[in-house]
Amino acid sequence: MRASAEEILAESSRILRLIEAPALSDDERRQIVEDSVTNFSLYVTKAILEHRKSCSSDYSVAEWEDEGAVFRDTAGREYIDCLGGYGVYLLGHRHPRVVAAVEHQLHRYALHSQELIDPLRGYLSKLVAMITPGDLRHTYLVNAGTEANEMAIKLARLATGKTHIIATLGGFHGKTLGSLSATGKGLYREPYLPLVPGFHHVPFGEADAVEERIEALLQTGESVAAVIVEPIQGEGGINIPPADYLPRLREICDRYECLLIVDEVQTGMGRTGRMFGVDHWDVVSDIMTLGKAFGGGVMPIAAMVAQPKWWGKMEENPFILGSSTFGGNPLCAAGAIAGIHTILAEDIPGQARAKGEYFLRALKEMQQRTPDLLRDVRGVGLLIGLEFIDNARGFSVAKRMFERGVLVGGTLNNARVIRIEPPAVIRQDQIDRVLQALEDSLHDEVAV
């Protein structure tokens, strides 16, 4: 039943006081947690509380403030963030340079009229062309990675006049309908079947399988618009392809005149120790998608960038792809511009490379000491996966680490491979604390 205006004003005023308060009283801290449990149960989805139990067995942890590589709950307890928003917080939480750019833009104008030229969209698009490899030049700005992949799929069909898309098993490209059709995990796809027609999935890392599928389609009179692939699979379990995989995909796409779409939503902007994942193999795609860390860890923004030769239909009708009202808005563009500046000024790829090597050395030593529990350690830069013998043991280790003040990517439904994706600005002493927390958690788990 709709509440009265007086009731709505009273509740919104109470919430605004909490948001604007420079500090919280003990009663306010407790009230926020109680409110959160009630609100998620009644107005969001109660299952989310259960899903987040790797963080807290009694739901007592509500994230409230953050900075650098840490966040704090309403009680002031501090946690090192090694989940990093699944790749969002490459520059850490609220990097001062990014926050400053957004604040300055906020005091000028926040959104745009949609009709006039918005300078920041142009400035950001120019910077994207400057940092991406080869002749990737034209940028289409959206709100999230799944939107960027939607636009990439649509552009591939639009530019080539062809139909079918080859994707990979275990690949993850988002959950909107087109991106979900490219995603290669039945857990996400099955409830929505049938999805968009024309998508085919082959094993990741097997270039021959891509070529065989293209050949089969051509022999039956079909046409292939694109191959879409992550340089390193993130959601799929931090899967690293053979050294010749991306170069062979490039050659196959050239030979069969279809486009290579590289999804850099998680691997891009320096996470793997290079600006982009494809840089490890010196491959230039026809279309690249960006997201997560693209907004500097402060603003939600993503992008599709393409080579000029595929942009002709956009010159005929710049609105033909279509996205959302807020794609590339000034506030988000300001955050992304500052993010690019900071990534280069602070050599974020170099930091990710060096810190990732340190992490991996220590983690592989732990794996050798506990092979019956921790089956494998793999990763590139600060995109690292710990593969456990089963989901239950991985989930248990994730919970133990959280109790020791470290958040990693292990949840109730998906913890066989735990992701470690800390901000590249994580300090050495914080890395050592993470490693010690894992060492102690593994020891406790083995002792069970």
Side-chain angles (χ1 to χ4, degrees):
M1 182 181 296
R2 181 179 295 180
S4 68
E6 290 77 10
E7 290 172 321
I8 297 168
L9 285 169
E11 178 64 1
S12 59
S13 295
R14 182 180 75 88
I15 298 166
L16 286 170
R17 284 195 296 271
L18 294 172
I19 292 172
E20 296 165 3
L24 297 174
S25 68
D26 289 343
D27 286 343
E28 288 172 328
R29 295 176 189 277
R30 286 191 292 269
Q31 189 62 53
I32 289 170
V33 173
E34 292 176 15
D35 289 347
S36 297
V37 173
T38 299
N39 291 339
F40 270 82
S41 297
L42 295 179
Y43 308 115
V44 187
T45 304
K46 187 176 182 179
I48 289 179
L49 297 173
E50 181 69 21
H51 185 75
R52 300 301 187 206
K53 282 186 70 175
S54 60
C55 301
S56 168
S57 59
D58 59 2
Y59 311 123
S60 64
V61 177
E63 191 173 345
W64 190 248
E65 59 185 31
D66 60 13
E67 65 198 24
V70 303
F71 66 90
R72 301 179 190 88
D73 65 12
T74 51
R77 293 172 294 205
E78 186 172 280
Y79 303 85
I80 299 175
D81 186 359
C82 277
L83 172 60
Y86 295 102
V88 169
Y89 294 114
L90 183 63
L91 298 181
H93 295 256
R94 293 188 303 116
H95 191 288
R97 184 68 188 87
V98 182
V99 170
V102 173
E103 287 180 339
H104 281 99
Q105 183 58 37
L106 180 61
H107 290 296
R108 183 168 293 109
Y109 69 110
L111 301 177
H112 51 90
S113 71
Q114 307 293 324
E115 186 65 19
L116 278 67
I117 294 296
D118 173 33
L120 268 64
R121 183 187 299 239
Y123 285 135
L124 176 56
S125 297
K126 178 181 180 180
L127 287 172
V128 171
M130 293 173 74
I131 64 173
T132 48
D135 197 22
L136 289 166
R137 188 192 308 172
H138 292 289
T139 292
Y140 196 97
L141 297 170
V142 291
N143 301 291
T146 187
E147 283 186 70
N149 285 324
E150 289 276 348
M151 298 305 107
I153 292 164
K154 290 170 71 176
L155 180 62
R157 287 182 166 178
L158 187 68
T160 64
K162 300 178 181 180
T163 303
H164 292 269
I165 308 290
I166 310 297
T168 61
L169 298 173
F172 183 81
H173 303 289
K175 295 179 183 176
T176 51
L177 207 59
S179 300
L180 183 59
S181 300
T183 291
K185 297 191 73 171
L187 175 68
Y188 302 132
R189 293 167 51 87
E190 189 173 357
Y192 305 104
L193 296 174
L195 293 168
V196 178
F199 286 79
H200 308 263
H201 296 83
V202 299
F204 178 72
E206 297 182 17
D208 287 344
V210 173
E211 184 167 15
E212 288 167 6
R213 186 57 58 91
I214 293 173
E215 275 285 354
L217 287 165
L218 292 177
Q219 288 181 27
T220 56
E222 304 288 357
S223 60
V224 177
V227 175
I228 184 169
V229 66
E230 299 162 273
I232 299 166
Q233 286 189 335
E235 174 73 14
I238 317 299
N239 299 317
I240 304 168
D244 67 343
Y245 181 61
L246 270 298
R248 286 199 60 203
L249 290 188
R250 176 70 278 173
E251 185 274 326
I252 289 168
C253 287
D254 288 340
R255 182 150 39 88
Y256 289 96
E257 298 182 336
C258 55
L259 306 192
L260 177 60
I261 303 171
V262 174
D263 179 344
E264 294 268 7
V265 170
Q266 188 162 185
T267 53
M269 310 309 295
R271 166 65 59 184
T272 68
R274 302 288 297 272
M275 182 61 82
F276 300 105
V278 290
D279 291 339
H280 291 281
W281 296 279
D282 295 321
V283 168
V284 176
S285 59
D286 296 289
I287 302 174
M288 178 185 287
T289 57
L290 306 172
K292 295 192 182 295
F294 184 59
V298 174
M299 301 304 292
I301 185 170
M304 174 198 71
V305 55
Q307 294 191 33
K309 60 185 175 181
W310 308 119
W311 209 249
K313 294 292 185 181
M314 291 292 291
E315 300 296 351
E316 296 173 18
N317 180 356
F319 308 108
I320 194 168
L321 282 185
S323 180
S324 65
T325 302
F326 302 109
N329 69 73
L331 276 183
C332 289
I337 289 166
I340 291 171
H341 174 88
T342 304
I343 285 168
L344 292 174
E346 298 187 8
D347 188 19
I348 292 300
Q351 290 196 55
R353 183 167 56 252
K355 293 171 184 177
E357 289 171 355
Y358 182 87
F359 254 119
L360 283 166
R361 280 195 300 270
L363 293 170
K364 288 179 178 179
E365 290 174 3
M366 290 186 204
Q367 189 275 325
Q368 291 172 0
R369 293 194 293 270
T370 57
D372 294 335
L373 173 61
L374 182 55
R375 179 172 292 166
D376 190 27
V377 171
R378 53 184 178 266
V380 180
L382 288 174
L383 182 60
I384 299 170
L386 309 179
E387 183 177 343
F388 290 85
I389 57 172
D390 56 39
N391 185 73
R393 302 301 289 274
F395 177 58
S396 180
V397 170
K399 288 189 67 173
R400 293 180 190 278
M401 291 189 71
F402 192 77
E403 291 165 0
R404 292 180 165 92
V406 177
L407 176 66
V408 295
T411 63
L412 182 61
N413 297 321
N414 185 21
R416 185 179 62 84
V417 178
I418 286 178
R419 277 184 270 185
I420 294 183
E421 294 185 55
V425 297
I426 188 171
R427 301 192 310 266
Q428 184 63 46
D429 64 298
Q430 292 171 328
I431 294 175
D432 291 336
R433 282 169 55 194
V434 171
L435 292 170
Q436 188 61 57
L438 177 59
E439 182 85 65
D440 293 342
S441 298
L442 292 172
H443 179 271
D444 290 352
E445 190 65 25
V446 169
V448 172

